[in-house]
Amino acid sequence: MRPSGRKTDQMRQVSFQRNVSKHAEGSCLVKFGDTHVLVTASLEDKTPPWLRNSGKGWVTAEYGMLPRATGERMKREAATGKQGGRTQEIQRLIGRSLRAVIDLEALGEKQITVDCDVIQADGGTRTAAITGGWIALHDCLKWMETRNMIKLERVLKDHIAAISCGIFAGQPVIDLDYLEDSAAETDANFVMTGAGGLVEVQGTAEGKPFSREEFLNLLDLATEGTKQLVELQKQAIA
Amino acid sequence: MRPSGRKTDQMRQVSFQRNVSKHAEGSCLVKFGDTHVLVTASLEDKTPPWLRNSGKGWVTAEYGMLPRATGERMKREAATGKQGGRTQEIQRLIGRSLRAVIDLEALGEKQITVDCDVIQADGGTRTAAITGGWIALHDCLKWMETRNMIKLERVLKDHIAAISCGIFAGQPVIDLDYLEDSAAETDANFVMTGAGGLVEVQGTAEGKPFSREEFLNLLDLATEGTKQLVELQKQAIA
Amino acid sequence: MRPSGRKTDQMRQVSFQRNVSKHAEGSCLVKFGDTHVLVTASLEDKTPPWLRNSGKGWVTAEYGMLPRATGERMKREAATGKQGGRTQEIQRLIGRSLRAVIDLEALGEKQITVDCDVIQADGGTRTAAITGGWIALHDCLKWMETRNMIKLERVLKDHIAAISCGIFAGQPVIDLDYLEDSAAETDANFVMTGAGGLVEVQGTAEGKPFSREEFLNLLDLATEGTKQLVELQKQAIA
Amino acid sequence: MRPSGRKTDQMRQVSFQRNVSKHAEGSCLVKFGDTHVLVTASLEDKTPPWLRNSGKGWVTAEYGMLPRATGERMKREAATGKQGGRTQEIQRLIGRSLRAVIDLEALGEKQITVDCDVIQADGGTRTAAITGGWIALHDCLKWMETRNMIKLERVLKDHIAAISCGIFAGQPVIDLDYLEDSAAETDANFVMTGAGGLVEVQGTAEGKPFSREEFLNLLDLATEGTKQLVELQKQAIA
Amino acid sequence: MRPSGRKTDQMRQVSFQRNVSKHAEGSCLVKFGDTHVLVTASLEDKTPPWLRNSGKGWVTAEYGMLPRATGERMKREAATGKQGGRTQEIQRLIGRSLRAVIDLEALGEKQITVDCDVIQADGGTRTAAITGGWIALHDCLKWMETRNMIKLERVLKDHIAAISCGIFAGQPVIDLDYLEDSAAETDANFVMTGAGGLVEVQGTAEGKPFSREEFLNLLDLATEGTKQLVELQKQAIA
Amino acid sequence: MRPSGRKTDQMRQVSFQRNVSKHAEGSCLVKFGDTHVLVTASLEDKTPPWLRNSGKGWVTAEYGMLPRATGERMKREAATGKQGGRTQEIQRLIGRSLRAVIDLEALGEKQITVDCDVIQADGGTRTAAITGGWIALHDCLKWMETRNMIKLERVLKDHIAAISCGIFAGQPVIDLDYLEDSAAETDANFVMTGAGGLVEVQGTAEGKPFSREEFLNLLDLATEGTKQLVELQKQAIA
């Protein structure tokens, strides 16, 4: 029995609120239950040094948590003077995931920075950030298309969505909230495209090792879950 | 004529949304027009080193801006590795302002950290942070009172509210938005208590110097404006 | 009664010693009683990035304290790895104050860096730095005029001087020393031009809030004080 | 055809050289072909703050690369002033993997730090570090057992070994060297116990997404590969 | 012929101005010609962690240069965020040199920090800092003796003085100024006690290597020079 | 009697293992007894900013210690966020020493970075790094000559070798190991060319001051020792 009363294959209520920023080219407030992430996609007329004069653009991500997004207040990373290992790991994951569906040549020599700031955390912030990040990125590219800078369909090749799964109380479950996450035996994150292809798979045994069969159960849950998320993305941008 | 069409003594629409955080003891989303600041007040069972065994508590503030809170994306301070001078100046101001109405002995050996994160910026973020910070701080103290940790009325001595004023196109105006702020000849911030006492006064000539008379005009506007803000705070916590 | 026996409107002994540096284009050892600040103005043939090819120059300031300038030795900021919030706040104030009387276009694409290093502190270091900084800046511009780089009178539009005032033991007093400063109920700094215009006004209630009337008393003291400081500057450069 | 001429399921020559450090309680120079990692396990009579008085110990890992371990010299992280995101990600992975087979209560309030320094890199440094790290950790625990500090078999619950697999030129292959790694379509790392349990699974699509079937092929290769590595570990400590 | 017209064995005018700081327990403004270093010795009632409960004290030194102490303005180390290699090398040398004549057990569990800040540089700042540092340290210990904290003669075992020598235009010369220093073929620093013992010897070939004979010539010059400096120290504290 | 049983003028077993790196243009694993330093020389097609368009190249060195190269594990400098004073002092010494035998004009606008990483420490790491660094540098230059980039004999003017000497138990001894080093009364390092010229001399009294005669004894030992080291270098590159 899950603390929230959800069924093992039941995700939390997911919503995307678009255009929440007056300034950003694309933006989205994404909610997976009590996990709320504010995502902005910012177009910049530059590229990283290693792409200069290559004709290719870049999509990168940054991730942060407000200090009291969590149950205990955490130290502000700007005040401690560096981004922690967890932060860097997550923002690298978000960036790789979004780039997996972008044609960087079709984008041209521009950079889009996707900022994912966790307003409130209740487990699954990185998967919410990726899933909502796709909406903000889509809207930024739409903004560019409106100005004849790109062809949206040539740059954005597919949807991308992410979900966590884990083994909680001996059961494979989807979309863990904080209570489940902190007690799970195994914790995994999956990033998949609209066409069902895998982009990132990350599984970690928190307690005892997991088996091939258990891992496949998680993969099955994630496959179904990301399919639903992609459907919700389609409704959101319709 | 102000860009927004407001009268010289007319503030923007101000609102306080309380209890916006699932985790924080007190929280408030404060809006001054398009300036939106998310404030959380976090109770911690510790005090800074210099107050150990003094019987006194502490209230401190931290301030941050999401990278795309502004028209141009700014670098994330956590990534650059330090808080800029402007950030530090503002968070010191917020902390001093809030402490001005707190009886630190009545609080006892606790620390309350007020985090002010600018979600969207359109001028006046520091004054919105102070004004909304008072709400979050009030609610945190209320939370403590409910648990018999303090007597609210002994700890919180008065209201505190802040407003910017400036000379724009030769006219003294209140509550400058970004367009006005970037073109103002003089820019000032005032922090006042519910009883009308001054706690902080900061005026800067951006272009030519200002006169005593001009400064008094700004002070008069601010006196009236903070009175209205205190009234709105009272309605918000009613 | 002030600890030093001074009258409420009596400043400490103020002196400017010019040309104290063998290397700097302009330099001044300024003393306000036991507060001693060594100021150098350094001409550099560059401008900050945002002014490139604008035809305009820049004046900026840096501030530091020797570790044992104070009663208790403070940590060396170079060793701790960053400038504290107070340091940054002060050096931003000095820079803004000096730029208020400079015509940056008439200066041309040069940068002058005014370094203010507190050799000994006894209250009022920032106001001494601004007042002495004007002398060093003047002498640097004079050095440039001698070499036909600028016209001094076109670049330097007016004098700038600064003084602290505060409410000590219930009385408005001028030019607080450390003993007064640490016990003052209200502490304010004023920066004014030779023509009597206000450039910066900063007032802070250290204990209870202050009233409009009290603040005007401080402003009156400062107006008289900066007038005297400008007179002393004129004698110094005569 | 693999650049090295290896078969798709053929690992590079793997060797463990024990006791390579005069000082460390456990040490190992592990080689996977031209990838050479020097691992030391250092016993320290302390634990991290959050474990004080818990009776539990800790195993942590740090990872570094000598600047010219790679084809192009990389900047020394000590000189740039921080560990990059990749470094932090890898050392977190190593630490989690080794802790998966340690009974922290049986270890008692001690910390073992496993330093993994890449002397020469040719792909697969993280998997070599984990696999060789197990040897160094084993030898450190053996050193402790000899001094009656612990019972080795109670602290060290199983073997741990890691291997990379990927899809190169359309084929699933094991133990990618640098040439393969930089051209692979999919890149995955697997960490498994001696009993065949999964501890960490990480797969990333570098080019196009991968399918469930492709991922299972990689998992099968890894299962066989880690079995061989565990066998080699057993021979090494025999 | 030396640029300054001095003879090869002629030092610059050396002076010690004592008690230049209102706050420090010992202080000295030392001048070697145009090289001016302000030294303060600060007594602190603590010791570094590794001496806790050892009954022994510590003497340490910190070194800094004001940004415009030199011909070209240098970046402020507090602003760049770290002390450069040269700064650290010099402050370690000063600390070691002063400790060479201190009986740390007789000092007891106190720390004296000797801050050496270069107000103006013209070559030989480290040797001036050591030589003047001895005066400040002596005066700090005298201050302590007056308060019955120590016996001066038991703590301070001897004088310490330092001088630079070098080979300039083929000639061994003493006390190089900046012009000589930047053109010298060999540059050496010597730290000697009042009894004539060597404490530190540092010689560097800037251009071609130097011979044993040349080095002995420098040592002879230094032996005579430090003898004179010790004599001047004796006069200064008389 | 030395702890190792060596005679006072007897160095430890010294060996140079060339070409230990698959990637570096020059490399050497140098051993002085139990002190092992891995040195790589990396050719980069750039020069430091101050040499741009000067036609001259540069040779620089970096130094590091693996955390458990020593008896007690030391903190990893990359993790603490800066290189310590000792590290910077040593790498500056290595760079100066190697440049002393390089004709930077004959090298042309290239930079060679010599990385010296201490794998295992037992005293004398800096002198081993310099002596082995010469081999790596030689091999890098040889690599360049093979590609017609330079003439080796025009760039590399002489051998360079370094050795430590000290006064241990009242006796002058050569090549101190850690046990001797930590108990020595005087500790000195000498860097000499193949022709017998002195490049660096550094002597420090750890306990009581040393005399001119004692220092000359050390210099004599070092002269003989570096002669032997140069001989070993010649054999190594033969």
Side-chain angles (χ1 to χ4, degrees):
Chain A
M1 181 63 79
R2 305 179 70 171
S4 60
R6 283 188 280 146
K7 290 186 233 148
T8 57
D9 65 348
Q10 187 184 352
M11 291 193 297
R12 291 174 288 183
Q13 180 77 24
V14 172
S15 68
F16 305 104
Q17 193 178 341
R18 291 167 70 198
N19 297 323
V20 292
S21 160
K22 174 192 172 80
H23 302 299
E25 286 74 27
S27 63
C28 175
L29 175 60
V30 54
K31 300 185 181 178
F32 278 45
D34 280 338
T35 289
H36 302 175
V37 184
L38 181 59
V39 189
T40 55
S42 297
L43 175 65
E44 291 169 296
D45 198 8
K46 61 167 192 186
T47 44
W50 72 88
L51 286 179
R52 297 257 164 79
N53 303 318
S54 70
K56 295 167 75 172
W58 194 243
V59 171
T60 186
E62 294 194 5
Y63 172 92
M65 266 189 154
L66 297 196
R68 194 59 194 280
T70 47
E72 302 264 304
R73 183 180 184 273
M74 295 177 312
K75 284 193 178 161
R76 187 177 289 268
E77 288 186 326
T80 56
K82 62 175 173 181
Q83 295 180 298
R86 180 184 168 278
T87 294
Q88 292 197 52
E89 201 167 310
I90 292 175
Q91 67 191 10
R92 286 157 55 93
L93 171 68
I94 301 170
R96 284 200 309 271
S97 298
L98 294 175
R99 280 193 299 276
V101 291
I102 295 290
D103 183 325
L104 296 172
E105 297 209 18
L107 176 59
E109 288 204 20
K110 312 271 177 211
Q111 175 167 304
I112 298 173
T113 300
V114 178
D115 285 288
C116 305
D117 285 274
V118 179
I119 301 298
Q120 190 173 275
D122 187 33
T125 63
R126 78 190 70 187
T127 47
I130 292 167
T131 309
W134 185 88
I135 298 282
L137 184 56
H138 168 273
D139 284 0
C140 176
L141 293 170
K142 189 88 189 169
W143 185 97
M144 292 172 76
E145 188 179 55
T146 308
R147 282 152 187 81
N148 293 319
M149 300 167 77
I150 55 156
K151 283 298 249 184
L152 173 56
E153 64 183 17
R154 287 197 46 218
V155 178
L156 189 64
K157 300 181 294 183
D158 198 347
H159 283 253
I160 206 86
I163 196 70
S164 75
C165 296
I167 301 175
F168 173 77
Q171 294 278 344
V173 297
I174 195 167
D175 191 22
L176 289 73
D177 58 30
Y178 178 75
L179 276 181
E180 294 170 330
D181 194 31
S182 45
E185 293 129 47
T186 293
D187 182 22
N189 292 291
F190 299 88
V191 184
M192 299 184 78
T193 63
L198 286 156
V199 163
E200 289 276 344
V201 170
Q202 295 187 334
T204 297
E206 302 287 347
K208 64 180 169 60
F210 52 94
S211 68
R212 178 188 170 108
E213 288 65 38
E214 287 171 319
F215 191 68
L216 290 182
N217 284 339
L218 301 183
L219 176 51
D220 290 342
L221 280 173
T223 303
E224 188 54 37
T226 51
K227 200 176 294 178
Q228 291 174 36
L229 290 171
V230 167
E231 206 48 52
L232 289 168
Q233 287 176 335
K234 286 180 180 165
Q235 292 168 19
I237 63 169
Chain B
M1 181 62 79
R2 305 179 70 171
S4 60
R6 283 187 281 148
K7 291 187 232 145
T8 57
D9 63 349
Q10 188 184 351
M11 291 192 298
R12 291 173 288 182
Q13 180 78 23
V14 172
S15 68
F16 305 104
Q17 193 178 342
R18 291 166 70 198
N19 298 322
V20 292
S21 160
K22 174 192 174 79
H23 302 298
E25 286 74 27
S27 63
C28 176
L29 175 60
V30 54
K31 299 186 181 177
F32 278 44
D34 280 338
T35 289
H36 303 175
V37 185
L38 181 59
V39 189
T40 55
S42 297
L43 174 65
E44 290 168 296
D45 198 9
K46 61 168 193 188
T47 45
W50 70 90
L51 287 179
R52 298 258 162 79
N53 303 318
S54 70
K56 295 168 74 172
W58 194 243
V59 172
T60 187
E62 294 194 4
Y63 172 92
M65 268 189 153
L66 298 195
R68 194 58 194 279
T70 46
E72 302 264 304
R73 183 179 184 274
M74 295 176 311
K75 283 192 179 162
R76 187 177 289 268
E77 287 186 327
T80 58
K82 63 175 172 179
Q83 294 180 298
R86 180 184 169 279
T87 293
Q88 293 197 51
E89 201 167 311
I90 292 175
Q91 67 191 10
R92 284 156 58 92
L93 172 68
I94 300 170
R96 284 199 310 272
S97 298
L98 294 175
R99 281 192 298 276
V101 292
I102 295 289
D103 183 325
L104 296 172
E105 297 209 16
L107 176 58
E109 287 204 19
K110 313 271 178 208
Q111 175 168 303
I112 299 173
T113 300
V114 178
D115 285 288
C116 305
D117 286 275
V118 179
I119 300 299
Q120 189 174 276
D122 188 33
T125 62
R126 77 190 72 185
T127 48
I130 292 166
T131 309
W134 186 89
I135 298 281
L137 184 55
H138 168 274
D139 284 1
C140 176
L141 294 169
K142 190 88 188 169
W143 185 96
M144 292 171 76
E145 189 180 55
T146 309
R147 283 151 187 80
N148 293 318
M149 300 168 77
I150 55 155
K151 284 296 252 185
L152 172 56
E153 64 183 18
R154 288 196 47 216
V155 177
L156 190 63
K157 300 181 292 183
D158 199 347
H159 283 252
I160 207 84
I163 196 70
S164 75
C165 296
I167 301 175
F168 173 76
Q171 296 277 345
V173 298
I174 195 168
D175 191 23
L176 289 73
D177 57 29
Y178 177 75
L179 275 180
E180 294 169 331
D181 194 32
S182 45
E185 293 129 45
T186 293
D187 181 23
N189 293 292
F190 298 88
V191 183
M192 299 184 78
T193 63
L198 285 156
V199 163
E200 290 277 343
V201 170
Q202 296 187 335
T204 297
E206 302 287 346
K208 66 179 166 61
F210 52 93
S211 68
R212 178 188 169 108
E213 289 65 39
E214 287 171 319
F215 191 68
L216 289 182
N217 284 338
L218 300 183
L219 176 51
D220 291 342
L221 279 172
T223 304
E224 189 54 38
T226 50
K227 200 176 295 179
Q228 292 174 35
L229 290 171
V230 167
E231 206 49 50
L232 289 168
Q233 286 176 336
K234 285 180 181 166
Q235 293 169 19
I237 63 170
Chain C
M1 182 62 78
R2 304 179 70 169
S4 60
R6 283 186 280 148
K7 290 187 234 146
T8 57
D9 64 348
Q10 187 185 350
M11 292 193 297
R12 291 173 288 183
Q13 179 78 24
V14 172
S15 68
F16 305 105
Q17 192 177 342
R18 290 166 71 197
N19 297 323
V20 291
S21 159
K22 173 192 174 81
H23 301 298
E25 286 74 27
S27 63
C28 176
L29 174 60
V30 54
K31 300 185 181 178
F32 278 45
D34 280 338
T35 289
H36 302 175
V37 185
L38 181 59
V39 190
T40 55
S42 297
L43 174 65
E44 291 169 296
D45 198 8
K46 62 169 193 185
T47 45
W50 70 89
L51 287 179
R52 298 258 163 78
N53 303 318
S54 70
K56 294 168 74 172
W58 194 244
V59 172
T60 187
E62 295 194 4
Y63 172 92
M65 267 188 154
L66 298 196
R68 194 57 195 280
T70 47
E72 302 264 304
R73 183 179 184 274
M74 295 177 311
K75 283 191 180 163
R76 186 178 289 268
E77 287 187 326
T80 57
K82 64 175 172 180
Q83 294 179 299
R86 180 183 169 279
T87 293
Q88 293 196 50
E89 202 167 309
I90 292 176
Q91 67 192 11
R92 284 157 57 92
L93 172 68
I94 300 170
R96 284 198 310 272
S97 298
L98 294 175
R99 281 193 298 276
V101 291
I102 295 290
D103 183 326
L104 295 172
E105 297 210 18
L107 176 57
E109 287 204 20
K110 313 272 177 209
Q111 175 168 302
I112 298 173
T113 300
V114 178
D115 285 289
C116 305
D117 286 275
V118 180
I119 300 299
Q120 189 173 277
D122 188 34
T125 62
R126 77 189 73 186
T127 47
I130 293 166
T131 309
W134 186 88
I135 297 282
L137 184 55
H138 168 274
D139 285 0
C140 176
L141 293 169
K142 190 89 190 168
W143 185 96
M144 292 172 77
E145 190 179 55
T146 308
R147 283 153 187 79
N148 292 320
M149 299 167 77
I150 55 155
K151 283 297 251 185
L152 171 56
E153 66 184 16
R154 288 195 48 216
V155 177
L156 189 63
K157 299 181 293 183
D158 200 346
H159 284 251
I160 208 82
I163 196 69
S164 76
C165 297
I167 301 175
F168 174 76
Q171 296 277 346
V173 299
I174 196 168
D175 191 22
L176 288 74
D177 58 30
Y178 178 74
L179 276 181
E180 294 169 330
D181 194 31
S182 46
E185 293 129 45
T186 293
D187 181 24
N189 293 292
F190 298 89
V191 183
M192 299 184 77
T193 62
L198 285 155
V199 163
E200 290 277 343
V201 170
Q202 296 188 333
T204 297
E206 302 287 347
K208 66 179 167 61
F210 53 93
S211 68
R212 177 187 170 109
E213 289 64 40
E214 287 171 320
F215 192 68
L216 289 182
N217 285 339
L218 300 183
L219 177 51
D220 290 342
L221 280 172
T223 303
E224 189 53 39
T226 50
K227 200 176 295 179
Q228 291 174 34
L229 289 171
V230 167
E231 206 48 51
L232 289 168
Q233 287 176 336
K234 286 180 180 164
Q235 293 168 18
I237 62 170
Chain D
M1 182 61 79
R2 305 178 71 170
S4 60
R6 282 187 282 147
K7 292 187 232 145
T8 58
D9 63 349
Q10 187 185 352
M11 292 194 296
R12 292 174 286 183
Q13 178 78 23
V14 172
S15 67
F16 305 104
Q17 191 177 344
R18 290 166 72 197
N19 297 322
V20 292
S21 159
K22 173 191 173 80
H23 301 298
E25 286 75 27
S27 63
C28 176
L29 174 61
V30 54
K31 299 185 181 178
F32 278 45
D34 281 336
T35 289
H36 303 176
V37 184
L38 180 60
V39 189
T40 55
S42 297
L43 174 65
E44 290 168 298
D45 197 8
K46 62 168 193 188
T47 45
W50 70 89
L51 286 179
R52 297 257 162 78
N53 303 317
S54 70
K56 294 167 75 171
W58 194 243
V59 172
T60 187
E62 294 194 4
Y63 172 91
M65 266 189 155
L66 298 195
R68 194 58 195 279
T70 46
E72 301 265 303
R73 184 180 183 273
M74 295 177 312
K75 282 191 180 164
R76 186 178 289 268
E77 288 186 326
T80 58
K82 63 175 173 181
Q83 295 180 298
R86 180 183 169 280
T87 294
Q88 293 196 52
E89 203 167 308
I90 292 176
Q91 66 191 11
R92 285 157 56 91
L93 172 68
I94 301 170
R96 283 199 311 272
S97 298
L98 294 175
R99 281 192 300 276
V101 291
I102 295 290
D103 183 325
L104 295 172
E105 297 209 18
L107 175 59
E109 288 205 18
K110 313 272 177 209
Q111 175 168 304
I112 299 173
T113 300
V114 178
D115 285 289
C116 306
D117 286 274
V118 180
I119 301 299
Q120 189 173 276
D122 187 35
T125 63
R126 79 189 72 188
T127 47
I130 292 166
T131 308
W134 186 88
I135 297 282
L137 184 54
H138 168 275
D139 285 0
C140 176
L141 293 169
K142 189 88 189 167
W143 184 96
M144 293 172 76
E145 191 179 52
T146 308
R147 283 151 188 80
N148 292 318
M149 300 168 76
I150 54 157
K151 283 297 249 186
L152 172 55
E153 65 185 15
R154 288 197 46 217
V155 178
L156 189 64
K157 300 180 294 183
D158 199 348
H159 283 253
I160 207 83
I163 197 69
S164 75
C165 297
I167 301 175
F168 173 77
Q171 295 277 345
V173 298
I174 196 167
D175 191 23
L176 289 73
D177 57 30
Y178 178 74
L179 275 182
E180 293 169 330
D181 195 32
S182 46
E185 292 129 47
T186 292
D187 181 23
N189 293 292
F190 298 87
V191 183
M192 299 185 78
T193 62
L198 285 156
V199 163
E200 290 276 343
V201 170
Q202 295 187 335
T204 297
E206 302 287 346
K208 65 180 167 59
F210 52 94
S211 68
R212 178 188 170 108
E213 288 64 38
E214 287 171 319
F215 190 69
L216 289 182
N217 284 339
L218 301 183
L219 176 50
D220 290 342
L221 280 173
T223 303
E224 188 54 38
T226 50
K227 199 176 295 180
Q228 292 174 34
L229 290 171
V230 167
E231 206 48 51
L232 289 169
Q233 288 176 335
K234 286 181 181 164
Q235 293 169 17
I237 63 169
Chain E
M1 183 62 79
R2 304 178 71 170
S4 60
R6 283 188 281 146
K7 290 186 233 147
T8 56
D9 64 348
Q10 187 184 352
M11 292 193 296
R12 290 173 289 182
Q13 179 78 25
V14 172
S15 68
F16 304 105
Q17 193 178 341
R18 291 166 71 198
N19 297 321
V20 292
S21 160
K22 174 192 174 79
H23 301 299
E25 286 73 26
S27 63
C28 176
L29 175 60
V30 54
K31 298 186 181 177
F32 278 44
D34 280 337
T35 289
H36 302 176
V37 185
L38 181 59
V39 189
T40 55
S42 297
L43 174 65
E44 289 169 297
D45 197 8
K46 62 168 192 187
T47 45
W50 70 89
L51 287 179
R52 296 257 164 78
N53 304 317
S54 69
K56 294 167 75 172
W58 194 243
V59 172
T60 187
E62 294 195 4
Y63 172 92
M65 267 188 154
L66 298 196
R68 195 57 195 278
T70 46
E72 301 264 304
R73 183 180 184 273
M74 294 176 312
K75 283 191 180 163
R76 186 177 290 267
E77 287 187 326
T80 56
K82 62 174 174 180
Q83 294 180 299
R86 180 185 169 278
T87 294
Q88 293 197 52
E89 201 167 309
I90 291 175
Q91 67 192 10
R92 285 157 56 92
L93 171 68
I94 301 170
R96 284 200 310 270
S97 298
L98 294 175
R99 280 193 300 276
V101 291
I102 294 290
D103 183 324
L104 295 171
E105 297 210 18
L107 176 59
E109 288 204 18
K110 313 272 177 209
Q111 176 168 303
I112 299 173
T113 300
V114 178
D115 285 289
C116 305
D117 286 273
V118 180
I119 301 299
Q120 190 173 277
D122 187 34
T125 63
R126 78 189 71 187
T127 47
I130 292 166
T131 308
W134 186 88
I135 298 281
L137 183 56
H138 168 274
D139 285 0
C140 176
L141 293 169
K142 190 89 189 168
W143 184 96
M144 293 172 76
E145 188 179 54
T146 307
R147 282 153 188 80
N148 292 318
M149 300 168 77
I150 55 156
K151 285 296 251 186
L152 172 56
E153 65 184 17
R154 288 196 45 218
V155 178
L156 189 64
K157 300 181 293 183
D158 199 347
H159 283 254
I160 207 86
I163 196 69
S164 75
C165 297
I167 301 175
F168 174 76
Q171 295 278 343
V173 298
I174 196 167
D175 191 23
L176 289 72
D177 57 30
Y178 178 74
L179 275 181
E180 293 169 330
D181 194 32
S182 45
E185 292 129 46
T186 292
D187 182 22
N189 292 292
F190 297 88
V191 183
M192 299 184 78
T193 63
L198 285 157
V199 163
E200 289 276 343
V201 169
Q202 296 187 334
T204 297
E206 302 286 348
K208 65 179 168 59
F210 52 95
S211 68
R212 179 188 170 107
E213 289 64 38
E214 286 171 319
F215 191 67
L216 289 182
N217 284 339
L218 301 183
L219 176 51
D220 290 341
L221 280 173
T223 303
E224 189 54 38
T226 51
K227 199 176 294 180
Q228 292 174 35
L229 289 171
V230 168
E231 206 47 53
L232 290 168
Q233 287 176 334
K234 285 180 181 165
Q235 292 168 18
I237 63 169
Chain F
M1 182 62 79
R2 305 178 71 170
S4 60
R6 283 187 281 146
K7 290 186 234 148
T8 58
D9 64 348
Q10 187 185 351
M11 292 193 295
R12 291 174 287 183
Q13 178 78 23
V14 172
S15 68
F16 305 104
Q17 192 177 344
R18 290 166 71 196
N19 297 322
V20 292
S21 160
K22 174 191 173 79
H23 301 299
E25 286 73 27
S27 63
C28 175
L29 175 60
V30 54
K31 299 186 180 178
F32 278 45
D34 280 337
T35 289
H36 303 175
V37 185
L38 180 59
V39 190
T40 55
S42 297
L43 174 65
E44 289 169 297
D45 197 8
K46 62 169 193 187
T47 46
W50 71 88
L51 286 180
R52 297 257 163 77
N53 304 317
S54 70
K56 294 167 74 173
W58 193 243
V59 171
T60 188
E62 294 194 4
Y63 172 93
M65 265 188 155
L66 298 195
R68 194 59 194 278
T70 46
E72 301 265 303
R73 183 180 185 272
M74 296 176 312
K75 284 190 179 164
R76 187 177 288 268
E77 288 187 324
T80 57
K82 62 175 173 180
Q83 295 180 299
R86 179 183 169 279
T87 294
Q88 293 196 51
E89 203 168 309
I90 292 175
Q91 67 192 10
R92 286 156 55 91
L93 171 68
I94 300 170
R96 283 199 311 271
S97 298
L98 294 176
R99 282 193 299 276
V101 290
I102 295 290
D103 183 325
L104 296 171
E105 297 210 19
L107 176 58
E109 288 205 18
K110 313 272 177 208
Q111 175 168 302
I112 299 173
T113 300
V114 178
D115 285 288
C116 305
D117 286 273
V118 180
I119 300 300
Q120 189 173 276
D122 187 34
T125 63
R126 77 190 71 187
T127 47
I130 292 167
T131 309
W134 186 87
I135 297 282
L137 184 55
H138 167 275
D139 285 0
C140 177
L141 293 169
K142 190 88 190 169
W143 185 96
M144 293 171 75
E145 190 179 55
T146 308
R147 283 151 188 80
N148 292 319
M149 300 167 78
I150 55 155
K151 284 296 249 186
L152 173 56
E153 64 184 17
R154 287 197 45 218
V155 178
L156 188 64
K157 301 181 293 181
D158 200 347
H159 283 253
I160 206 86
I163 196 70
S164 75
C165 297
I167 301 175
F168 173 76
Q171 296 277 346
V173 298
I174 196 166
D175 191 22
L176 289 73
D177 57 30
Y178 178 74
L179 275 181
E180 294 169 331
D181 194 32
S182 45
E185 293 129 46
T186 292
D187 182 23
N189 293 292
F190 298 88
V191 183
M192 299 184 78
T193 61
L198 285 156
V199 163
E200 290 276 344
V201 170
Q202 295 188 335
T204 297
E206 302 287 347
K208 65 178 167 60
F210 52 94
S211 67
R212 178 188 170 108
E213 288 64 38
E214 287 171 320
F215 191 68
L216 289 182
N217 285 338
L218 301 183
L219 176 51
D220 290 343
L221 280 173
T223 303
E224 188 54 37
T226 50
K227 199 176 295 180
Q228 292 174 34
L229 290 171
V230 167
E231 206 48 50
L232 290 168
Q233 288 176 334
K234 285 180 181 164
Q235 293 168 17
I237 63 168

